[in-house]
Amino acid sequence: MKDSVKAVILAAGKGTRMKSSLPKVLHKILGKTIIERVVRAVLKLKNTTEIIVITGYKSEEVQNSLKNYPVTAILQEPQLGTGHAVAQAKDNLAGFDGTVLITCGDTPLLTSETLAEFVKFHKGSGSCLTVMSAIFDDPTNYGRIIRNLQGNIEKIVEEKDANSTEKAVKEINAGVYCLDWKHVASAFNELTNNNQQGEYYLTDVVDWVVRKELKASIYTLKNNYEIFGINSQKHLAEAIKILNTLTIEKLMDEGVTFISPENTLISPETVIGKDSIVYPGCVIEGENIIGENCIIGPFAHLRDGVDIASNVRIGNFVEVKKSTIKENTNVAHLSYVGDSVLGKNVNIGAGTITANYNAITKEKSITTIKDDAKIGSNCVLVAPITIEKGANVAAGSVITKDVPEYSLAIARGKQQIVEKWVEKKLKAILNNGGSNSGIGIE
Ligand code: UD1
Ligand code: MG
């Protein structure tokens, strides 16, 4: 079908400059790996019939990390360049009469909106090839876009192959392309590695298209940050900062208050209702929903799969994971809530833990706390466990059995008083000439 798109994501490179044993594309940016972010952006495109990921370095790890996504992984071994990488997908693309969108696995900030606009532009232009460009004040290390006198693309020259005039060009190749596969497929049989790096360059396909007098276009990116590529730990931190700032700005536009945005980390997959306040030091990672009028933090950690209704307070040093919390409930300080369902008007005292993990069986179990239940401070609720509606749990209890409705559960050592114990001890020390040696504390 002419309208359909197949995407090829290039992710076989090692990422040497990360100085990490983890493949570059498996480093995380606000709860999702770099490659996941690229795949998710491509997945949102309409008419995409296949997403092909080219893997190489630690391919098994990379492929495993994507097992929940509908992608075809293809191994490139050895890695002989970006052109060689795309050529590995030739069998999957054979006979395909549509657009092949090529993008890199290390540019996680490229949005699905931009990709959609790029594909639309390509289709509208009737070109055989469209390349995405950007204008950079400092174009160092990027391939440069060389245009002819009419302003049309002539070729792309890599930094290492460029002469001084070409190096002065500030328009760079973003590394994202649309190809009309039917017309361009055969270019991949003709690529050579006759260049400084001895690699089969994808960029040479531009040269091929121009030589064949087929139409080639350039789409210039509007937001340069979108093609920010990750090559080092510094880049990773920078990308996290950019995505975090964009996420918080969007939430602020929707009526969420951030007391100190620069001291808050939040995944773009998290949704927050208006009039909620996020205090400094919060880390909110993954896919979470927070209702309206909630108070989060300071120093709260929400770790994916958290669904919080309105008027909920998640306070100081509280960690919540994979849990549902209904209206007007408080988990105000120093608690851990994991794999739990908390009803309305529940109060969790300071320092309470849902013990959801059995370290021997490695199983996780559910804690259910129904409406109006009150849990005292410093309790351990050993899951699986249910605290029924309106029940109370006394402070310091270790709860291992379900607590019935409107009942009180106390599970702690009984307090004993040893009268005048301190006085007796002090007297004994005096009688011993001021020394307390040999006088043990019972
Ligand atoms: C490439 C472009 C350059 C562009 C830049 C944008 C070429 C020849 N050059 O250069 O014009 O400005 O991207 O970022 O294409 N990869 C493979 N297999 C390989 C080699 C690379 O899958 O054999 C993957 C890498 O994992 C990476 C992407 O392709 O995701 C780009 O490769 P990289 O080596 O970073 O190319 P650049 O030198 O940056
Ligand atoms: Mg690169």
Side-chain angles (χ1 to χ4, degrees), residues 1-232:
M1 209 179 65
K2 194 97 188 96
D3 245 7
S4 62
V5 175
K6 288 197 178 198
V8 179
I9 300 172
L10 307 183
K14 181 170 177 207
T16 317
R17 280 184 283 161
M18 292 298 283
K19 306 258 170 75
S20 165
S21 48
L22 195 65
K24 172 165 87 171
V25 294
L26 293 192
H27 284 265
K28 276 192 175 173
I29 296 190
L30 299 173
K32 303 258 182 249
T33 63
I34 294 172
I35 187 77
E36 254 184 303
R37 295 221 166 272
V38 177
V39 168
R40 291 167 73 90
V42 172
L43 263 175
K44 286 194 193 141
L45 293 177
K46 277 190 261 157
N47 298 332
T48 305
T49 53
E50 190 174 13
I51 299 174
I52 297 163
V53 182
I54 307 294
T55 61
Y57 178 70
K58 296 202 173 172
S59 60
E60 232 169 82
E61 268 180 59
V62 177
Q63 293 183 13
N64 241 335
S65 77
L66 294 173
K67 63 178 185 297
N68 294 328
Y69 292 91
V71 299
T72 313
I74 295 180
L75 177 68
Q76 183 201 14
E77 188 61 60
Q79 292 101 46
L80 302 179
T82 47
H84 178 253
V86 175
Q88 307 311 301
K90 261 184 4 194
D91 288 349
N92 292 59
L93 299 174
F96 176 58
D97 184 15
T99 301
V100 172
L101 168 70
I102 301 168
T103 186
C104 291
D106 65 352
T107 48
L109 303 183
L110 196 57
T111 61
S112 52
E113 289 79 11
T114 297
L115 285 173
E117 201 182 293
F118 177 58
V119 172
K120 195 171 160 206
F121 175 91
H122 168 75
K123 286 181 178 169
S125 74
S127 297
C128 283
L129 178 149
T130 305
V131 54
M132 189 183 284
S133 82
I135 314 294
F136 277 9
D137 285 339
D138 177 10
T140 314
N141 289 330
Y142 285 94
R144 309 296 204 281
I145 303 272
I146 310 299
R147 294 181 186 247
N148 64 17
L149 288 175
Q150 288 74 44
N152 298 323
I153 188 160
E154 196 171 283
K155 59 179 174 176
I156 297 172
V157 181
E158 292 306 293
E159 165 102 8
K160 286 184 179 136
D161 303 297
N163 61 34
S164 57
T165 321
E166 289 164 340
K167 273 190 185 149
V169 172
K170 290 189 186 307
E171 185 171 24
I172 61 99
N173 169 25
V176 187
Y177 318 78
C178 274
L179 306 182
D180 184 0
W181 191 249
K182 204 168 77 182
H183 289 104
V184 179
S186 59
F188 289 87
N189 302 326
E190 295 176 30
L191 291 181
T192 62
N193 62 354
N194 186 16
N195 51 53
Q196 280 298 321
Q197 303 186 83
E199 288 182 0
Y200 295 90
Y201 287 170
L202 177 55
T203 45
D204 284 349
V205 174
V206 174
D207 199 44
W208 185 92
V209 166
V210 171
R211 270 192 284 119
K212 297 269 174 203
E213 296 184 350
L214 297 170
K215 187 168 176 192
S217 306
I218 299 174
Y219 168 93
T220 305
L221 193 63
K222 296 187 185 81
N223 302 315
N224 280 352
Y225 70 79
E226 286 196 42
I227 60 131
F228 187 80
I230 317 273
N231 294 306
S232 64

Side-chain angles (χ1 to χ4, degrees), residues 10 72 96 111 131 153 156 161 217 251 257 292-294 302 304 328 354 358 360 362 384 395 406 408 425:
L10 307 183
T72 313
F96 176 58
T111 61
V131 54
I153 188 160
I156 297 172
D161 303 297
S217 306
L251 288 166
T257 302
E292 296 182 1
N293 255 317
C294 292
L302 271 52
D304 199 30
N328 303 316
T354 56
N358 183 327
I360 300 191
K362 306 223 181 317
Y406 295 104
L408 170 69
K425 286 292 170 196

Side-chain angles (χ1 to χ4, degrees), residues 317-330:
F317 304 103
V318 170
E319 178 176 335
V320 187
K321 182 219 103 178
K322 213 174 171 191
S323 294
T324 300
I325 302 178
K326 305 243 174 74
E327 289 84 3
N328 303 316
T329 283
N330 272 321

